[in-house]
């Protein structure tokens, strides 16, 4: 018996990719082929797009990952794309992605270099969004406190005991990563469902989405000033800023004022924890006092996503655990980036499902 296939061939994109120094600062062309195996018999009969997977959506997904992530190896990019495609729709039984790198740094004359990764649904890790069984980073793993005994010999290794961690995968506990091997960790991260060590600065700049909120003082001026603080921060480049949203408070005391919310996309080389510290510094600069959970605040800065990392550390969970249910985050994000995805689902669609969808009003543009 045969099987049905959707093929997307020769998608032309460019990316910063490669292990050589010059490849880590300059974009080069890539061509990507994707093959999706799924039952197309219903679509063949109904002639309805809803009965198949849109190749345009697959192309958008690939483009987003190629522009948002940085990889050293084309193997890692192909693996990440294959996993993301399988995650994007449960009807896809298997996927294969080929990444061609026609300007690979070879001294010989050549036509092309490429890698192909084939994966079936059973071979990919479970989504961290559904259930985070692995891999995760935490002081506590399955009830057991894991001490950091490896004593990383790096300058930034002065961490308190609550920040000790180890990395656990289905194959069992891995030894602590050698922190000098950034490219290798990048590769491992892609293979292991974008697990990311929250203390490890990115080997390459990565995209992160931040959510800002304010409902005390001059909220509009506060948000503008927070965006400026991000623009001025070292190792951060602001890529995109959403229109402002006026939103009804979700949770917290009844009588608090409406919020102004905004979403910002940045590119950064900071580690996830360094970015969290920066978010807290910016909150503090705006007289943030942490009193009541979900209570009024001059400024709140949350990390919604960090590349496509899954982080479950004592003081940082990424993606932000509530973001996928908050229209006050999702709607401004979708205005800024209409094809944005969160945990494999369109942000626009998640926004429509959020309970506070009708309580968000766009104020600009
Ligand atoms: N992705 C994240 N972004 C920001 N803070 C986070 C994240 N994950 C965990 N935290 C932790 O949450 C703590 C409380 O954050 P905060 O005071 O902003 O909570 P809140 O705004 O009242 O509620 P919420 O977290 O639901 O937005 C922070 O000190 C931080 O360590
Ligand atoms: N509308 C709205 N509601 C909230 C917000 C917010 O930014 N906007 N932030 C919260 C905690 O971070 C809790 N509730």
């Amino acid at each position: 018996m045969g099987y049905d296939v959707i093929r997307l061939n020769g998608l032309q994109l460019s990316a910063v990719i490669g292990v050589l120094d010059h490849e880590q600062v300059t974009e080069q062309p890539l061509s990507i082929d994707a093959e999706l195996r799924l039952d197309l018999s219903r679509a063949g009969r109904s002639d309805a797009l809803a009965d198949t997977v849109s190749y345009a959506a697959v192309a958008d997904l690939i483009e987003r990952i190629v522009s948002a992530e940085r990889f050293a190896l084309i193997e890692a990019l192909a693996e990440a794309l294959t996993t993301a495609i399988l995650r994007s729709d449960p009807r896809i039984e298997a996927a294969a992605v080929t990444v061609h790198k026609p300007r690979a740094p070879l001294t010989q004359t050549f036509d092309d270099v490429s890698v192909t990764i084939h994966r079936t649904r059973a071979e990919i890790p479970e989504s961290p969004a559904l259930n985070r069984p692995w891999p995760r980073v935490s002081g506590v793993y399955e009830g057991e406190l894991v001490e950091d005994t490896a004593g990383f010999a790096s300058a930034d290794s002065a961490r308190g005991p609550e920040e000790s961690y180890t990395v656990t995968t289905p194959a069992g506990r891995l030894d602590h990563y050698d922190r000098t091997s950034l490219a290798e960790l990048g590769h491992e991260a892609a293979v292991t469902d974008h697990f990311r060590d929250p203390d490890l600065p990115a080997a390459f700049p990565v995209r992160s989405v931040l959510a800002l909120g304010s409902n005390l003082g001059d909220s509009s001026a506060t948000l503008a000033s927070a965006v400026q603080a991000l623009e001025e921060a070292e190792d951060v480049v602001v890529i995109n800023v959403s229109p402002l949203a006026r939103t009804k408070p979700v949770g917290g005391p009844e009588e608090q004022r409406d919020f102004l919310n905004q979403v910002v996309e940045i590119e950064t080389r900071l580690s996830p924890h360094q970015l969290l510290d920066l978010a807290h510094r910016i909150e503090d600069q705006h007289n943030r006092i942490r009193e009541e959970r979900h209570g009024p605040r001059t400024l709140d800065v949350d990390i919604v996503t960090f590349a496509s990392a899954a982080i479950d550390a004592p003081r940082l969970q990424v993606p932000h655990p509530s973001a996928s249910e908050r229209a006050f985050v999702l709607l401004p994000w979708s205005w800024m980036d209409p094809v944005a995805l969160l945990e494999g689902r369109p942000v626009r669609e998640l926004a429509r499902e959020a309970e506070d969808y009708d309580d968000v009003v766009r104020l600009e543009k």
Side-chain angles (χ1 to χ4, degrees):
M1 202 173 69
Y3 54 81
D4 305 330
V5 175
I6 294 175
R7 278 196 196 88
L8 173 65
N9 282 336
L11 185 63
Q12 304 296 311
L13 297 170
S14 55
V16 175
I17 190 160
V19 293
L20 302 186
D21 285 350
H22 74 269
E23 294 186 292
Q24 295 176 11
V25 289
T26 317
E27 287 196 342
Q28 59 179 302
L30 294 179
S31 172
I32 295 179
D33 309 327
E35 189 172 302
L36 284 56
R37 199 170 85 202
L38 70 163
D39 183 355
L40 297 175
S41 55
R42 185 194 279 260
R45 288 192 302 272
S46 70
D47 198 18
L49 182 62
D51 287 332
T52 184
V53 170
S54 159
Y55 44 73
V58 175
D60 283 346
L61 176 64
I62 293 174
E63 184 176 24
R64 283 199 54 75
I65 292 172
V66 169
S67 61
E69 296 273 350
R70 294 282 184 274
F71 295 99
L73 302 179
I74 53 176
E75 286 84 341
L77 173 59
E79 184 83 46
L81 293 175
T82 313
T83 303
I85 289 170
L86 281 164
R87 288 252 175 79
S88 70
D89 194 306
R91 294 171 297 182
I92 304 169
E93 295 157 17
V97 171
T98 302
V99 176
H100 303 262
K101 190 176 172 186
R103 305 238 183 106
L106 299 182
T107 51
Q108 298 81 359
T109 302
F110 68 105
D111 285 337
D112 185 29
V113 177
S114 71
V115 300
T116 302
I117 300 281
H118 297 259
R119 294 286 173 264
T120 63
R121 179 161 297 285
E123 287 169 336
I124 60 159
E126 266 185 72
S127 166
L130 300 175
N131 159 14
R132 302 185 179 202
W134 73 277
R136 55 187 244 164
V137 183
S138 168
V140 180
Y141 188 74
E142 288 176 357
E144 171 204 0
L145 183 64
V146 182
E147 292 290 338
D148 175 5
T149 52
F152 295 121
S154 72
D156 63 345
S157 65
R159 292 175 297 155
E162 47 97 34
E163 286 170 318
S164 300
Y165 61 86
T166 191
V167 179
T168 308
T169 75
R173 185 179 152 164
L174 292 182
D175 281 331
H176 290 79
Y177 283 110
D178 170 1
R179 301 187 132 217
T180 58
S181 172
L182 294 179
E184 204 177 307
L185 182 65
H187 174 61
E188 189 66 39
V191 174
T192 57
D193 190 24
H194 307 287
F195 146 75
R196 193 178 282 271
D197 174 343
D199 285 310
L200 196 68
F204 306 94
V206 295
R207 296 277 171 110
S208 169
V209 171
L210 307 177
L212 313 183
S214 165
N215 74 338
L216 272 184
D218 182 347
S219 293
S220 168
T222 301
L223 294 186
S225 158
V227 172
Q228 195 183 341
L230 285 167
E231 280 166 348
E232 288 166 4
E234 228 171 281
D235 287 325
V236 171
V237 176
V238 172
I239 303 286
N240 217 341
V241 180
S242 80
L244 283 177
R246 193 179 62 240
T247 69
K248 295 261 170 265
V250 172
E254 288 275 301
E255 66 292 352
Q256 60 175 324
R257 230 179 65 182
D258 283 357
F259 276 80
L260 280 189
N261 285 104
Q262 191 165 36
V263 169
V264 181
E265 186 171 16
I266 60 163
E267 200 163 80
T268 186
R269 296 188 74 131
L270 296 176
S271 73
H273 272 155
Q274 287 170 333
L275 182 59
L276 181 68
D277 293 340
L278 172 66
H280 286 167
R281 277 200 305 280
I282 294 176
E283 288 177 350
D284 292 342
Q285 283 159 14
H286 294 84
N287 306 318
R288 163 74 184 265
I289 302 162
R290 276 187 198 81
E291 273 173 357
E292 199 171 353
R293 184 160 160 80
H294 294 171
R297 69 272 317 276
T298 45
L299 180 65
D300 188 29
V301 181
D302 287 339
I303 302 176
V304 179
T305 61
F306 189 95
S308 45
I311 299 169
D312 188 4
R315 60 189 187 99
L316 182 64
Q317 291 88 52
V318 174
H320 189 287
S322 311
S324 61
E325 294 155 8
R326 290 174 160 179
F328 67 77
V329 173
L330 299 164
L331 266 175
W333 185 3
S334 72
W335 301 333
M336 175 183 85
D337 180 359
V339 296
L341 295 169
L342 176 59
E343 295 163 354
R345 290 200 54 206
V347 165
R348 255 190 317 195
E349 200 176 290
L350 288 169
R352 281 197 292 271
E353 291 170 13
E355 280 185 14
D356 59 328
Y357 179 72
D358 293 326
D359 297 332
V360 177
V361 177
R362 181 169 173 156
L363 295 184
E364 295 174 329
K365 281 192 264 171

